[in-house]
Amino acid sequence: MPLTKSEKIWMDGTFVDWDDANVHILTHSLHYGLGVFEGIRTYETSQGPAVFRLTDHIKRLFDSARIFLLDIPYSADELVEATKETVRVNNLSSCYVRPLVYLGYGEMGLNPLPCPVQVSIAVWPWGTYLGDEGLKHGVRMKVSSWQRHHPNALPPAAKGTGMYINSSMAKVEALKAGYDEAILLSPNGYVSECTGENLFVVQDGRILTPPVSAGALAGITQQCVKSIATDLGIDYEVAHLLRSDLYTADEAFLSGTAAEVVPIRSVDDRELGEPGPITRAIQDTYFAAVKGEVDRYKDWNEHV
Ligand code: PMP
């Protein structure tokens, strides 16, 4: 589906018309893939639009930048404020938010240090990432033939732009084989995560999710799942999982800012069926929380 345009994009401190938000063809990040980004959502609440866990996302953006030695020329507070302003000037009550830190036009070659670190923030209306049907009845997953990168090849804690070649290859493979989404295993064979989502299985009433050491990003939605599960009295554990754990799970689901909380209905054609009670409980509470309907999670709604 083509993007639904918004009006303005924040680029290095100024608002630029959507159609004029261009970069030079010799932009360093375009060639070598070194940049960092975030994916955030703004939701409509009864008190107006609120960016969900904005401060946590901007903090992760800075952590990603730090890992790659990118010196962001703004403070975290400035980018929080710039994000809110971008949502405000575009007059959107709900939208996706994409801050990007990239190396601009400077020198070519693999040394990134001489290139300017530039920042943009774009927002646009974006519906369900894995489809309404998937949200209701679950998505069909395929374990990818591509592995998640080894932590000593690319650091899983960082959201680096070029790292997503791995996700894109797995995504395309899954789609071409007729599935909705891919699951990647780590180089030593443990379950890692999906192409842009964390993964959970439910076994004997407990929620289990793979650790960062298996190559998974420390997801902010994953942290929400942990808080919600704990508050609902559901056991939540970080544990190494094997591929067969996916096949024998009582329930499984995935989480991510774009995807939100989505049930998994099958893995490699092993049917898990319609979403189970724990998946539903987490999903329902998450959707209430993003809309500001749960008092105990109101801190997550950062009003613009
Ligand atoms: N894993 C990967 C690889 C991702 O790109 C994302 C999306 N940022 C996630 C997990 C989920 O993270 P979050 O819940 O913070 O969006």
Side-chain angles (χ1 to χ4, degrees), residues 60 148 159 164 193 195-198 217 219-221 255-257:
R60 189 172 63 187
R148 191 42 113 206
K159 251 182 104 61
Y164 282 79
E193 59 175 346
T195 64
E197 305 89 14
N198 291 108
L217 182 75
I220 290 166
T221 321
S255 83
T257 298

Side-chain angles (χ1 to χ4, degrees), residues 144-261:
S144 186
S145 71
W146 297 103
Q147 291 178 350
R148 191 42 113 206
H149 20 74
H150 190 282
N152 288 338
L154 289 166
K159 251 182 104 61
T161 53
M163 294 168 69
Y164 282 79
I165 295 175
N166 178 247
S167 287
S168 290
M169 287 195 299
K171 183 84 189 179
V172 168
E173 181 187 67
L175 292 178
K176 281 190 175 288
Y179 296 86
D180 300 313
E181 173 59 328
I183 297 171
L184 291 113
L185 306 181
S186 70
N188 45 14
Y190 294 112
V191 176
S192 180
E193 59 175 346
C194 314
T195 64
E197 305 89 14
N198 291 108
L199 180 80
F200 307 81
V201 300
V202 178
Q203 274 175 0
D204 303 323
R206 287 175 314 162
I207 296 176
L208 303 170
T209 191
V212 175
S213 59
L217 182 75
I220 290 166
T221 321
Q222 186 185 41
Q223 285 175 29
C224 295
V225 170
K226 181 181 181 182
S227 303
I228 293 168
T230 308
D231 293 340
L232 291 174
I234 302 166
D235 253 5
Y236 178 100
E237 283 170 42
V238 176
H240 276 301
L241 297 174
L242 296 170
R243 184 171 183 163
S244 51
D245 291 322
L246 304 170
Y247 300 161
T248 59
D250 298 328
E251 304 178 29
F253 59 95
L254 53 83
S255 83
T257 298
E260 304 170 303
V261 176

Side-chain angles (χ1 to χ4, degrees), residues 1-274:
M1 231 181 6
L3 276 181
T4 307
K5 291 182 187 180
S6 62
E7 298 277 315
K8 302 277 185 193
I9 295 181
W10 189 95
M11 290 181 85
D12 301 311
T14 47
F15 283 108
V16 178
D17 287 340
W18 177 281
D19 287 325
D20 298 330
N22 302 315
V23 294
H24 194 277
I25 197 63
L26 293 182
T27 295
H28 195 277
S29 295
L30 206 51
H31 296 254
Y32 304 114
L34 181 55
V36 296
F37 69 106
E38 269 304 317
I40 316 175
R41 273 188 190 269
T42 301
Y43 290 90
E44 190 164 6
T45 75
S46 59
Q47 274 119 50
V51 188
F52 193 68
R53 301 195 68 163
L54 171 60
T55 306
D56 293 327
H57 280 282
I58 296 296
K59 181 182 181 307
R60 189 172 63 187
L61 183 73
F62 275 81
D63 287 345
S64 297
R66 190 185 165 113
I67 288 169
F68 292 121
L69 287 171
L70 296 173
D71 198 5
I72 300 178
Y74 301 95
S75 68
D77 287 348
E78 282 170 327
L79 291 191
V80 164
E81 200 34 58
T83 301
K84 291 181 177 179
E85 212 182 324
T86 309
V87 174
R88 278 197 300 266
V89 302
N90 282 289
N91 260 315
L92 293 168
S93 52
S94 68
C95 58
Y96 186 76
V97 182
R98 167 55 54 79
L100 172 69
V101 176
Y102 61 101
L103 292 163
Y105 169 82
E107 283 182 27
M108 286 309 258
L110 280 166
N111 176 12
L113 300 176
C115 295
V117 178
Q118 296 186 241
V119 185
S120 64
I121 305 167
V123 301
W124 64 89
W126 213 9
T128 51
Y129 180 66
L130 293 173
D132 294 336
E133 190 62 18
L135 213 54
K136 276 200 205 98
H137 299 292
V139 286
R140 298 180 60 249
M141 310 292 286
K142 180 191 192 310
V143 173
S144 186
S145 71
W146 297 103
Q147 291 178 350
R148 191 42 113 206
H149 20 74
H150 190 282
N152 288 338
L154 289 166
K159 251 182 104 61
T161 53
M163 294 168 69
Y164 282 79
I165 295 175
N166 178 247
S167 287
S168 290
M169 287 195 299
K171 183 84 189 179
V172 168
E173 181 187 67
L175 292 178
K176 281 190 175 288
Y179 296 86
D180 300 313
E181 173 59 328
I183 297 171
L184 291 113
L185 306 181
S186 70
N188 45 14
Y190 294 112
V191 176
S192 180
E193 59 175 346
C194 314
T195 64
E197 305 89 14
N198 291 108
L199 180 80
F200 307 81
V201 300
V202 178
Q203 274 175 0
D204 303 323
R206 287 175 314 162
I207 296 176
L208 303 170
T209 191
V212 175
S213 59
L217 182 75
I220 290 166
T221 321
Q222 186 185 41
Q223 285 175 29
C224 295
V225 170
K226 181 181 181 182
S227 303
I228 293 168
T230 308
D231 293 340
L232 291 174
I234 302 166
D235 253 5
Y236 178 100
E237 283 170 42
V238 176
H240 276 301
L241 297 174
L242 296 170
R243 184 171 183 163
S244 51
D245 291 322
L246 304 170
Y247 300 161
T248 59
D250 298 328
E251 304 178 29
F253 59 95
L254 53 83
S255 83
T257 298
E260 304 170 303
V261 176
V262 181
I264 291 174
R265 67 169 304 123
S266 68
V267 181
D268 291 341
D269 304 315
R270 276 77 168 176
E271 293 296 326
L272 301 179
E274 284 290 314

